Amino acid sequence: MTLYIGREASKLWKRICAETTTEINLLLDNWKYLLAGLIFQYIHGLAARGVHYLHRPGPTLQDLGFFILPELGQDKGYISETVFTCVFLSFLLWTFHPFIFKTKKIYTVLVWCRVLAFLVASQILRIVTFYSTQLPGPNYHCREGSKLARLPKPESVLEVLLINFPRGVIYGCGDLIFSSHMIFTLVFVLTYQKYGTRRCIKQLAWLVAIIQSLLIVASRKHYTVDVVVAWYTVNLVVFFIDKKLPELPDRTSGNLPLLLPLSTKDKDSKTKEENQKLLNGNSVDPADWRRRSEVNGKTMEDANGLHADTAMNEKQKLSSALVHCAVLPCLCIKSSAIIMISINIYHGIFRVPIASACVILFPMSNAEIVIVVSQCRRPLR
């Protein structure tokens, strides 16, 4: 990735403006999905706050991870949260990298639509599981004797709806199976695994996910079962949801309009690639097709540089003219002079034999088509 700085700051600004325009257009088309995903994040927090009222502290359950991993203690519990914060911020910054970096494969809005879909599906399963059975929390503030282990009955609905953010989220109890931290971490890692470009970062991301799992158990925020269930549940959810969602458009595809200006190097490489395709006899990008006509036995590109759609329309019109003339009998002698004159005027124009004594001319414009068709029909009246 190359970051434009210094004397190319103007290019960076143009790239940011162009990318912002593109993302705003995508946001106008997909804002409902983003809003629904964000609203469900609040619903998930509300559900986690609600189960805290049902939590009953008790002795910590026997857990294999607690025997293997030493306890970090309350003074080092921040390590797990620090790693999770770094993962979250790193992924957030990566989703916005198309605004600055030259190499890009994703659209920020579309990526977050997919991420929120993965999160919502996983969080729905999580809500169902931790409301099915309330386990005694292993965290320090959830154990017996702690004032935060149980919440008094709410005095008003507003107290529940506000969920005492952010303290109510950080010091929650009862929302155990399965780990919410692992949901976010695995969704981010799986998304980068598919759309990221750096192999070393992908490997580092999986390593961080494993470290995050061990830190969650070592800090006693979750039982080992909460982490284990998260690992296979989130992977399965992402696997099946990803198959149902439409695939992200490839930004490198030639079928899409060019969103950002190309540098001189990119233009040269693209020109060389197209020339190589032409030499090999392969077709180039459909968006770059031009009408071609035979001139003196050579195939030359039309100077007007008409778009592929215009060329297709012209071909359809020429085909219709061919049908009109093809159904007529052979041209009589009276029209032969006109044909000869037309040949002289349209020297080198594409000709198609219809009958043994008839030649149909294909002119290059609509007006010329009308003239030729009318001359074809006139001798028959």
Side-chain angles (χ1 to χ4, degrees), residues 9-309:
S10 59
K11 294 184 179 180
L12 174 61
W13 176 247
K14 290 179 181 179
R15 181 177 295 106
I16 293 176
C17 293
E19 196 70 29
T20 302
T21 303
T22 303
E23 294 294 343
I24 289 176
N25 293 331
L26 292 174
L27 182 62
L28 293 177
D29 295 334
N30 300 276
W31 66 271
K32 295 180 180 179
Y33 304 107
L34 292 174
L35 182 60
L38 294 176
I39 290 176
F40 193 84
Q41 298 308 303
Y42 168 75
I43 296 175
H44 173 258
L46 191 64
R49 176 69 172 179
V51 79
H52 196 172
Y53 291 100
L54 304 176
H55 178 253
R56 296 294 181 268
T60 303
L61 301 179
Q62 183 175 350
D63 190 277
L64 178 62
F66 291 175
F67 287 112
I68 298 175
L69 297 175
E71 189 172 352
L72 291 179
Q74 288 181 293
D75 55 337
K76 296 181 180 179
Y78 67 91
I79 298 177
S80 176
E81 291 296 329
T82 302
V83 173
F84 175 76
T85 303
C86 292
V87 171
F88 185 89
L89 294 178
S90 299
F91 182 81
L92 179 65
L93 293 176
W94 171 76
T95 57
F96 284 93
H97 83 275
F99 287 85
I100 298 178
F101 290 103
K102 185 177 177 181
T103 303
K104 46 196 169 292
K105 289 179 58 179
I106 63 170
Y107 294 99
T108 303
V109 172
L110 299 182
V111 164
W112 275 107
C113 286
R114 300 180 77 88
V115 168
L116 288 174
F118 300 150
L119 292 176
V120 169
S122 300
Q123 289 168 342
I124 290 176
L125 296 177
R126 180 174 187 262
I127 292 173
V128 172
T129 54
F130 68 63
Y131 266 103
S132 300
T133 302
Q134 290 82 44
L135 301 178
N139 211 337
Y140 305 105
H141 62 270
C142 298
R143 299 174 184 176
E144 289 182 303
S146 174
K147 296 180 180 179
L148 300 176
R150 301 183 64 177
L151 292 179
K153 293 183 179 180
E155 298 179 358
S156 63
V157 179
L158 186 61
E159 182 180 348
V160 178
L161 296 178
L162 292 179
I163 65 177
N164 192 20
F165 186 83
R167 184 178 178 86
V169 176
I170 298 175
Y171 294 99
C173 298
D175 56 329
L176 295 176
I177 301 177
F178 43 96
S179 173
S180 178
H181 286 67
M182 290 307 303
I183 290 178
F184 281 89
T185 301
L186 291 174
V187 166
F188 293 163
V189 171
L190 290 169
T191 303
Y192 187 82
Q193 176 69 29
K194 183 174 182 179
Y195 299 109
T197 56
R198 300 288 184 176
R199 183 179 179 183
C200 59
I201 297 181
K202 294 179 182 180
Q203 296 173 348
L204 178 62
W206 285 110
L207 178 62
V208 172
I210 296 174
I211 295 175
Q212 176 71 30
S213 304
L214 299 177
L215 289 175
I216 289 175
V217 177
S219 59
R220 303 299 188 257
K221 293 182 178 180
H222 282 276
Y223 292 106
T224 306
V225 64
D226 304 337
V227 176
V228 172
V229 172
W231 267 93
Y232 62 74
T233 302
V234 176
N235 278 277
L236 290 174
V237 167
V238 172
F239 175 78
F240 287 107
I241 297 296
D242 187 64
K243 287 184 174 294
K244 298 296 182 180
L245 294 177
E247 189 53 65
L248 289 182
D250 187 5
R251 299 195 66 160
T252 59
S253 175
N255 296 328
L256 295 175
L258 198 60
L259 299 175
L260 300 175
L262 288 175
S263 63
T264 305
K265 184 178 180 181
D266 291 336
K267 291 180 180 178
D268 295 339
S269 61
K270 186 175 182 180
T271 304
K272 292 180 181 179
E273 182 180 356
E274 292 178 355
N275 293 336
Q276 186 66 28
K277 288 182 179 180
L278 290 174
L279 291 175
N280 295 335
N282 299 329
S283 61
V284 295
D285 191 353
D288 294 332
W289 285 351
R290 302 290 187 269
R291 286 190 54 200
R292 290 172 173 81
S293 59
E294 283 191 355
V295 179
N296 297 328
K298 297 182 180 180
T299 302
M300 301 295 292
E301 183 172 346
D302 190 357
N304 295 328
L306 298 178
H307 194 270
D309 294 338

